[in-house]
Amino acid sequence: MANDGGLSRFKQRMQAIPKAAREAVVPALVKGADEIADTQRRLAPVDDGDLRESIEVTRPGQSTPPYSQPGGARVAGELEAIVTAGNSDVRYAHLAEHGTTKAPAQAFFWPGFRLERKRALTRIKRSISKAIKETKK
């Protein structure tokens, strides 16, 4: 199994939950992603603000912007909220994050993710527990 931070195990557990309970989790997923994106925006280097404004959350079933990092355009799954930086006009998010031979790294994406990850996961877990309890009634 690949080291994906437990994502595969999480997805398997989510598939075992009834549909109504899975749907109840989506707001927690999106809220967590919004908080991560807000932190990343605060950490992003600002020249003209385009990079900061390119950070966005893609909700389940929607498509991420073309040329976004990490991964480019793709459709978010039923139980995914994806945070990306960059778009067709801002193609340099990865260069700001990791630096170049001529410019130092100005990390914002992964530090923002790491700062907010625990709170987002806790919210999601609470939402799952609540949804399971409500579906058992």
Side-chain angles (χ1 to χ4, degrees), residues 4 7-9 15 21 35 40 42-43 55 60 68 75 89 101-102 104 108 112 119 122 125 127 130 132 135 137:
D4 58 6
L7 183 61
S8 297
R9 189 178 68 206
Q15 293 303 322
E35 289 176 348
Q40 291 170 332
R42 285 193 302 278
L43 295 174
I55 298 170
S68 60
V75 175
D89 297 323
T101 58
K102 297 180 182 182
F108 65 96
R119 182 170 24 174
T122 300
K125 288 175 185 177
S127 177
K130 182 179 175 187
I132 290 171
T135 58
K137 291 180 182 180

Side-chain angles (χ1 to χ4, degrees), residues 20-99:
R22 288 195 313 263
E23 290 172 355
V25 171
V26 171
L29 289 168
V30 172
K31 183 169 176 115
D34 284 337
E35 289 176 348
I36 290 168
D38 288 342
T39 298
Q40 291 170 332
R41 286 184 197 105
R42 285 193 302 278
L43 295 174
V46 179
D47 184 14
D48 56 13
D50 290 343
L51 176 59
R52 182 181 55 214
E53 292 171 16
S54 77
I55 298 170
E56 64 180 71
V57 175
T58 302
R59 300 174 67 90
Q62 295 180 342
S63 180
T64 61
Y67 305 103
S68 60
Q69 298 293 322
R74 73 179 190 88
V75 175
E78 174 189 15
L79 300 173
E80 284 184 305
I82 303 171
V83 180
T84 58
N87 54 38
S88 299
D89 297 323
V90 179
R91 297 188 185 190
Y92 53 85
H94 64 292
L95 300 175
E97 179 77 8
H98 301 290

